[in-house]
């Protein structure tokens, strides 16, 4: 089960991660957790009946949801995209509806890291970080072949490490966070500020002269068409991303860093400056054992995040 602010999905998958059936519905957050949980349960039950699987045929139920949440107690603790979910005991609810079936709850960044590690770009390594580079810069860590959650389940928040003193304001309230400089909105903001000096004509033409409507996607598309100004914006964001990753590598000596969303869309336009910055800011023997690669699971990542919670360790 994937619980999101916009949509929820329920999948039935094999133990090797092959999805056999999938249903999706609009979350409609204003309904509150009880109604949404009921729809998740009803959907799961319908799938089990149609496929003649039954509770006994299940290895377990995996639930992926935005944090904060407590994976040990199975409780969702007021994520920003689910404003009414204040201390909702998801695991207890599902275990009472599906007796005899175990439930695992994990935050979506950790679960996606697990999915990329088991099925995607992280296959075959023991120490990796996964980072989404989308609306936010979220992260999940796999260390020595296991999810690393930290003391209060907040490990991996690389997006909110400081990479520029007195830098732009981040939505978390701090200044100069990696997320404020290298997320989708960070890239858009950088482009919007920089077009002021008569530069970025191709980008302005693309958005019909409306500076405020420039998005990261516009910057990427324009850069792909060979526009040097937009390539420069991605280089700037990629350099900050690389600086943040270098700091992470100096602490964790990772084997692989898997980058999602913007890195997948922009490809080498973003990855090249990231790797260059890593080689500047991390020691050579640390940088050279780590490959920095785009995520592989794409649109399937959210479903596979929940599924991977019950897959065998490779
Ligand atoms: Zn922040």
């Amino acid at each position: 089960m994937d619980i999101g602010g916009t949509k929820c999905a329920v999948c039935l998958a094999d133990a090797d991660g092959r999805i056999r059936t999938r249903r999706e519905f609009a979350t409609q957050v204003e309904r509150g957790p009880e109604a949404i949980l009921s729809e998740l349960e009803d959907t799961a039950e319908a799938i089990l009946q149609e496929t003649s699987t039954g509770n006994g045929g299940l290895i377990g139920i995996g639930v992926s949801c935005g944090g904060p949440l407590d994976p040990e107690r199975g409780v969702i603790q007021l994520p920003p995209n689910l404003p009414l979910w204040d201390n909702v005991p998801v695991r207890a609810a599902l275990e009472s509806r599906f007796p005899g079936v175990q439930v695992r709850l994990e935050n979506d960044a950790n679960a996606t890291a697990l999915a990329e590690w088991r099925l995607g770009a992280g296959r075959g390594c023991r120490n990796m970080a996964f980072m989404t580079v989308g609306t936010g810069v979220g992260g999940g860590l796999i260390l020595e072949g296991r999810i690393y959650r930290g003391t209060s389940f907040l490990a991996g928040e690389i997006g909110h490490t400081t990479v520029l003193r007195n830098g732009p304001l981040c939505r978390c309230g701090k200044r100069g966070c990696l997320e404020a400089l290298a997320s989708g909105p960070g890239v858009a903001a950088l482009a919007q500020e920089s077009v002021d000096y008569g530069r970025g004509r191709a980008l302005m033409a693309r958005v019909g002269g409306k500076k405020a409507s420039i998005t990261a996607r516009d910057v990427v598309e324009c850069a792909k068409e060979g526009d040097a100004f937009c390539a420069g914006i991605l280089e700037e964001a990629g350099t900050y991303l690389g600086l943040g990753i270098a700091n992470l590598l100096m602490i964790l000596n990772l084997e692989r860093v898997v980058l999602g969303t913007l890195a997948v869309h922009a490809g080498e336009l973003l990855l090249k400056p990231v790797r260059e910055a890593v080689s500047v800011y991390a020691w050579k023997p640390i940088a050279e054992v780590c490959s920095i690669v785009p995520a592989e699971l794409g649109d399937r990542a959210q479903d596979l995040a929940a599924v991977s919670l019950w897959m065998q360790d490779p």
Side-chain angles (χ1 to χ4, degrees), residues 249 253 275 278-280 282-292:
L249 296 187
N253 188 193
R275 293 189 191 112
V278 166
S279 73
V280 170
W283 285 350
K284 194 163 181 251
I286 283 182
E288 69 187 9
V289 296
C290 182
S291 49
I292 296 165

Side-chain angles (χ1 to χ4, degrees), residues 159-161 170-174 177-180:
H160 301 283
T161 54
C170 179
R171 58 181 180 155
C172 79
K174 298 199 300 130
C177 289
L178 181 54
E179 178 170 304

Side-chain angles (χ1 to χ4, degrees), residues 178 234-244 270 273-274 276-278 281:
L178 181 54
L234 292 176
E235 196 177 318
E236 176 88 352
T239 301
Y240 281 113
L241 202 53
L243 169 57
L270 190 72
V274 167
E276 278 169 7
V278 166
Y281 296 110

Side-chain angles (χ1 to χ4, degrees), residues 62-242:
V63 183
S64 166
C65 180
L69 52 77
D70 182 334
E72 284 174 7
R73 291 191 302 129
V75 174
I76 292 177
Q77 297 165 319
L78 214 53
N81 61 346
L82 297 170
L84 300 170
W85 294 58
D86 190 4
N87 273 306
V88 177
V90 171
R91 185 170 68 204
L94 291 171
E95 285 181 349
S96 86
R97 177 74 179 259
F98 301 95
V101 181
Q102 275 187 292
V103 177
R104 287 179 184 164
L105 172 69
E106 192 59 71
N107 88 52
D108 53 3
N110 286 353
T112 309
L114 199 62
E116 284 288 346
W117 179 61
R118 288 187 162 150
L119 296 162
R123 284 193 311 277
C125 73
R126 279 187 59 75
N127 297 307
M128 71 160 245
F130 166 75
M131 288 166 67
T132 55
V133 188
T135 311
V137 175
L141 297 170
I142 305 287
L143 301 180
E144 308 292 357
R146 295 182 59 173
I147 292 181
Y148 179 77
R149 297 194 179 102
T151 306
S152 55
F153 319 119
L154 291 170
E157 289 290 0
I158 186 179
H160 301 283
T161 54
T162 308
V163 291
L164 181 64
R165 193 165 167 257
N166 300 324
L169 191 64
C170 179
R171 58 181 180 155
C172 79
K174 298 199 300 130
R175 284 194 174 275
C177 289
L178 181 54
E179 178 170 304
L181 291 148
S183 61
V187 166
L190 189 60
Q192 287 168 10
E193 285 160 23
S194 310
V195 287
D196 264 348
Y197 308 99
R199 300 181 305 154
R201 287 200 189 88
L203 183 61
M204 284 298 273
R206 170 178 289 269
V207 296
K210 293 190 199 115
K211 194 168 79 170
S213 70
I214 295 171
T215 64
R217 191 170 276 270
D218 295 322
V219 176
V220 170
E221 294 306 321
C222 215
K224 279 183 171 170
E225 285 163 15
D227 182 66
F229 170 82
C230 287
I233 298 288
L234 292 176
E235 196 177 318
E236 176 88 352
T239 301
Y240 281 113
L241 202 53

